[in-house]
Amino acid sequence: MSSSSVLEEIRRAEEFLVVGKGVRRIDALDKVTGRARFTGDFVLKDALHVRLVKSPIPHGRIIEIDAERALSLGPVRFFTAADIPGENQVGYALPDQPLLPADKVRYVGEPVALVAAPDEDLAEKAAELVEVRYEELPAVFDPLEAMERSDVLVHEDRGTNIAEMTRVRKGNVERGFEESDVVVENTYRTGHQEHAPLETEGAVAIPDTQGGVTVIASIQYPHLCQRITARVLGLPHSMVRVVQPYVGGGFGGKDDMGPVVSAMAALVAFKTGKPAVLVYSRRDSFTSTCKRDPSVVRYKTGATRDGRLKAIEVQIILDSGAYANRGPYVLWRATMHAGGPYEVPNAKVDGFLVYTNKVFEGSFRGFGNPQVQFAAESQLDELAERLGMDPLEIRLKNLLRPGSRTITDQLLESSVGIYEAVKLLGEKTGFRAKWREYRRERAGRVRRGIGIACGYHGISTSRGVPDWSNATVILGRDGSVTVETGICEIGQGSWTAHAQIAAEVLGVPVERVKVVGGTSDAPDTGATHASRGSSIGGIGVYVAARRLRERLADAAARLLECDPSDVEIREGRAFRRDNPDDYVEWEELVQAAYGMGYEMSATGYFFLPKGKFDMERGLGYAYPAFSYIANVAEVEVDLETGKVRVVRVWPALAAGRILNPVLVEGQIEGAIAQGMGYALTEELKFEDGRILNPNFTDYLIPTSLDVPEVEEPIYVEDLYEYGPFGAKGVGEMALIPTPAAIMNAVKNATGVRITEIPATPEKVYFALRRAGVVAGE
Amino acid sequence: MRAGGGGIVVRFTLNGREVEVTTRPNATLLDLLRNELKILSVRRGCETGECGMCTVLVDGLPVRSCLMLAPQVDGRSVTTVEGVGDPERLHPVQEAFVEAGAVQCGFCTPAMVLTAKALLDRDPNPDERTVKEAILGVLCRCTGYAKIVRAVRLAAERVAGGVRE
Ligand code: FES
Ligand code: FES
C-alpha cells in the first residue's frame, strides 16, 4: 500500500480514539514536579564554564586580542578564530557569518573570543579582562540608508549592503490600478522582537573517547546542529552527537542559535578535552542572539467600487542586521505572503534584505509574515473605510477559497477554510454591530474598539523546496512503543502529538508510547520550524507505525485464525472484527510476532511532493498548503496616556485536523500574547547600534495582568491530504494577524491609523495628538 | 550561622529536612540551591530579580532566590517544588496544572506552582484578578497565562470546594 493512499484512508476516517482528543501531555509530570532537566542542569564534574568576550563597538577591525591579564588569573583558557580547527563559518543562507570573527566585528555584542575556567566567577572575571584593540569603522544602522550607501559596507566582499532581493510579478499592476476606483497607499514599520525564551540559549559539550563530541543543547534541529558543529571542528558529521534535553521555549530563535552556541561549547570541549558549559546570560540573550527582522513596508492597494481587490504594489525592506542568517528565506516568505489570504489578480512585490551594523536577525514565529500581514491587513481596513464598507464585508468579498490562486499564481485546490472561518467568527463576535456602535460612540477618555485581521501561512519550506519526514518506531518485547524523531519538543507539544499518532495507528493507549526526539541519533527529520513539527514531522511516525500495524495484523490473523483484513487492533487488544471476544492482548501479540520472525521496528520516510517555482518572476508553487487564521480583537484606548489595553481576542483557525485541542489552544493563547507584546510593548531600543534595554525591566514582555481574555477558538477542519490525519501547522498562526487586529481595533476606537509597531503609549498618544483627537499642550 | 574557613555555615529546613551547608557569604540562595544542593527545579532566567524563574518559598512566602543571600535563610524553612509533591502524590495545584494544560515548555512551571500554592495557602478562594496579581512576578513566554490562571482556580475549587466569580 502506498503511503499516500494510507494517508487518504485515515484522512477519511471519522472516528478516532486518541487523535483530536485533549490527551495529556506526555511530559507534564516531569514538568510539574520540577524533574524536567534543561541544558544548564547538565553541569558535569570538572566542567569548564564558558563566557563570551563581546564587541563593544558596532563596526571595526580587530587589531589585537590580548588575554595576558585574563590568563594570569588562574586556570583560564582562551579561544579565538585562530583556534578553530575546521571551517570558521556558521552562516545559514549565505556563507557570511564566522563563529568568531577573525578580522572585523559587525555589531555591538558580537562574540570575538571565548574564555573558559573551572568556576563561573573566574570565567566571568577573565572575560572582562580580555583586551581587544579595534580600529573603528564608520557604521550604518538604518536599512534605508544602508541600501543606498556603498562607502560603508557591512560585508566589503559583497560590494553592497543588499544581501538579497526577491520579487513577485503577477498580472499587470498598471492595468490593475487603472481599473481601480480607489487606491490606498501607506508605509508601515515594525520593530525588532526578542524571543525572550525564559530559558536562555545554552549548550553543554562533552568530549568522547573516540575524538568526537556529544552536545546537549537548547535547539530546534539536532541534525543542523550536528552539521555546523562538525564543520567548525573539522570532523565527520558522525563524530558529533546532538541531544536535546527539555527546551525552555524556542519560538524560532533556538533554531538559529542552537548550532552557534553548540559549536562554541564544542570548540572548548574539543580543544581542552573537558566538558564545557556555555549558558547565555539574559544580557547575552538580548545582545547576542538573533531577533525578528524589523521592516519597512510600502504598500499600495487598488480596488473597485464594489470592494474587489484589483492590484497591489508592495516594497518590503527587512533589516537583517550584521549577517544574513535566515534573512533570504524570511524575505521570500514575506514576499510570497504579501497579498494576505485574498484573491489579488495583479501583484508586484519587491523585497530587499539589508545589512546594518546591528545584532543579526533570524527565525521568529511567523518568519517574515507578521510584518507583511500587519501592512496588508491595515491596508484592507483603510480601503474599506474609503469605500464605506465594514471590515468584515471587504474581507468576505476577497478571501481565498478552494479554486483560488495566490499572488504567486499557485492554484489552491482544496484545504482552504478561511472563508468559512471568517464568516463564523463574524457571527460569533457580533462584529458588525459592535464595530458600528464603537465607531458611532467615540466619546470619553477611554474608547473601545473592535478589529479583525486575517492571516495565512504556508506550511513547510518555501518556493517548492522539497520537504520530507522521517521517523523510526520500535516495538519492545514487552509491548512498549518507542518513537524516534529529530523533531524537538520546545514546549509546543509535538512529542505528545507524535505519541497520539503512533497510538492511534497501532491501537494502543498513549501511555505505552515513549518519544525519543530532538537527537541526531534519530533519522534527520528536518527542523522544528515552519509549523511543521507535528504536521510534517508526524507523517514519518504515521508511515512507520502503519508498517508495524500491517505486520501485527498479519501475526494476529495467524493467532486468531482469520484473514488479516478481519483483524481489529484497538485499546491494546487485537480481535476479530466479527467476534470481539476472540482476542489477544497487545503484549502477547507483540511477543508472538517477534517469535514468528516479524521485524518489530520500522522507519517511515516520506518525501513531500511539491511543484515548480520560477524565481525570476516569483511565480509558481510556493507551499504545499496554507494554514489560515483570523483574529478579532477588542481594545480600550486611554486617550490621556495612549495606553492600549487588549480586552478580548476571538481566534478562528483553519489548520486542518486539530490533533489535540488542548495543545492547539495553548499555542493560540501563547501566540496571541506574544503577538500583543510585539504590537504594543516590546520595543528594543538602540543607540549607535547598542541595545539600551537588554533586560526584562525595560523590554516588556506581557505579564499575567497584560494578556487579554482569549475566547475558545473556532476550528474549521479543512483537511490536508499530506498532513497526518489531515493536520496542517498551528504553532505560528495566531501571532500573525494579532498586530493588525489590534491596530484595526484602535482605529475603530479612535479614528486614528497607527502604522508603526510597537505602538507604545507614547507613540499612540502622539499619533492621537497629531490627528487632533486629543488636544496638545 | 557561623563563619569558618572562607565559608559560612547555614542551617535551614529544606523541603522538611534539616540541612547544614557551608557556602560563600555572598552566594545567593539560588547558587546555594542549584550549585551546592543540586535542586535543579529552581531555575535561572535572569539573576536580576526580573523573571521569577528562581522563585522558592521561604517560610511559605514566594521569594526570588537570586535576590536573596544564602545566609539569610539560616534558621528558616525553604520549599522548592520537590517539597510540594512527586509523581505518585501530586499536590492539587500540580494536578490542576497537568489537567488544565497549563504546562508548555515547563521552564516557568516550578515557580508558577510554588507561587500558586503560596496563594492558596493564604487565600483558598481567590478570584481571577487575585490569581493574576499573585503570579505577576513570574513570567511565562509560552502559555499567555490563560491556562495557568485556570489551573490555579481549578486547584482552589478542588481544595476549598468553590471559587468566587
Ligand atoms: S532568575 Fe530571574 S528573578 Fe531570579
Ligand atoms: S511554559 Fe514556557 S515559560 Fe511558561
Side-chain angles (χ1 to χ4, degrees), chain A residues 198 248-249, chain B residues 53 102-109 139-143 148:
Chain A
L198 269 310
Chain B
M53 295 304 106
V103 175
Q104 287 193 29
C105 81
F107 200 73
C108 70
T109 310
L139 295 175
C140 174
R141 190 59 155 167
C142 300
T143 63
I148 293 177

Side-chain angles (χ1 to χ4, degrees), chain A residues 305-528:
Chain A
R305 202 163 293 119
D306 64 349
R308 298 230 171 254
L309 292 173
K310 278 311 231 179
I312 57 166
E313 187 171 349
V314 188
Q315 192 191 43
I316 304 164
I317 296 157
L318 294 183
D319 179 350
S320 192
Y323 297 105
N325 187 23
R326 313 277 168 129
Y329 305 124
V330 174
L331 184 66
W332 266 113
R333 186 172 278 272
T335 304
M336 290 185 296
H337 285 81
Y342 305 101
E343 285 197 3
V344 186
N346 304 291
K348 176 171 184 257
V349 188
D350 287 284
F352 300 88
L353 180 74
V354 185
Y355 289 123
T356 59
N357 289 111
K358 298 200 296 282
V359 63
F360 64 105
E361 320 305 343
S363 310
F364 197 149
R365 199 181 216 167
F367 209 71
N369 198 2
Q371 293 93 319
V372 288
Q373 297 305 306
F374 170 56
E377 289 293 299
S378 300
Q379 279 292 100
L380 216 53
D381 268 37
E382 289 305 298
L383 205 59
E385 164 125 348
R386 290 274 299 279
L387 292 164
M389 284 183 167
D390 73 59
L392 194 60
E393 196 182 346
I394 198 164
R395 286 179 171 76
L396 289 171
K397 274 213 160 129
N398 293 288
L399 281 168
L400 296 169
R401 304 186 197 206
S404 296
R405 286 181 177 274
T406 66
I407 60 162
T408 72
D409 211 30
Q410 178 177 348
L411 175 65
L412 301 173
E413 281 170 34
S414 60
S415 190
V416 188
I418 182 70
Y419 181 81
E420 206 186 327
V422 170
K423 232 171 126 57
L424 292 171
L425 186 62
E427 285 158 18
K428 180 176 175 178
T429 54
F431 183 87
R432 280 201 172 108
K434 281 190 185 163
W435 185 83
R436 290 213 181 96
E437 185 193 322
Y438 295 149
R439 198 175 132 101
R440 223 179 14 246
E441 267 174 18
R442 285 191 192 157
R445 170 176 165 174
V446 177
R447 306 262 167 102
R448 206 164 248 257
I450 194 166
I452 184 169
C454 305
Y456 66 150
H457 199 67
I459 64 162
S460 170
T461 38
S462 304
R463 288 174 294 144
V465 174
D467 201 354
W468 76 98
S469 182
N470 207 351
T472 307
V473 178
I474 302 161
L475 302 185
R477 283 178 191 270
D478 63 347
S480 58
V481 182
T482 307
V483 173
E484 293 178 348
T485 170
I487 294 296
C488 295
E489 178 55 64
I490 54 175
Q492 83 285 36
S494 280
W495 290 359
T496 301
H498 279 36
Q500 283 180 274
I501 293 166
E504 184 74 49
V505 175
L506 292 169
V508 293
V510 189
E511 295 72 39
R512 285 258 158 173
V513 185
K514 167 150 178 71
V515 179
V516 177
T519 166
S520 62
D521 295 347
D524 186 345
T525 321
T528 306

Side-chain angles (χ1 to χ4, degrees), chain B residues 30 43-54 64 66:
Chain B
L30 173 64
R43 304 204 166 114
R44 229 180 267 224
C46 69
E47 294 185 274
T48 49
E50 298 174 323
C51 73
M53 295 304 106
C54 62
R64 288 161 203 206
C66 71

Side-chain angles (χ1 to χ4, degrees), chain A residues 665-728:
Chain A
E665 269 174 41
Q667 283 301 302
I668 291 175
E669 289 159 358
I672 287 173
Q674 209 165 40
M676 188 195 78
Y678 179 45
L680 295 177
T681 58
E682 296 185 31
E683 184 179 37
L684 212 53
K685 295 188 188 144
F686 286 83
E687 188 181 84
D688 296 333
R690 191 167 56 90
I691 296 173
L692 296 176
N693 55 340
N695 57 63
F696 287 139
T697 301
D698 303 310
Y699 182 86
L700 305 173
I701 69 171
T703 69
S704 55
L705 286 177
D706 303 325
V707 293
E709 284 304 314
V710 177
E711 293 289 322
E712 203 176 308
I714 291 169
Y715 297 125
V716 173
E717 294 192 290
D718 52 352
L719 305 186
Y720 164 51
E721 60 181 325
Y722 294 116
F725 302 100
K728 297 186 283 187

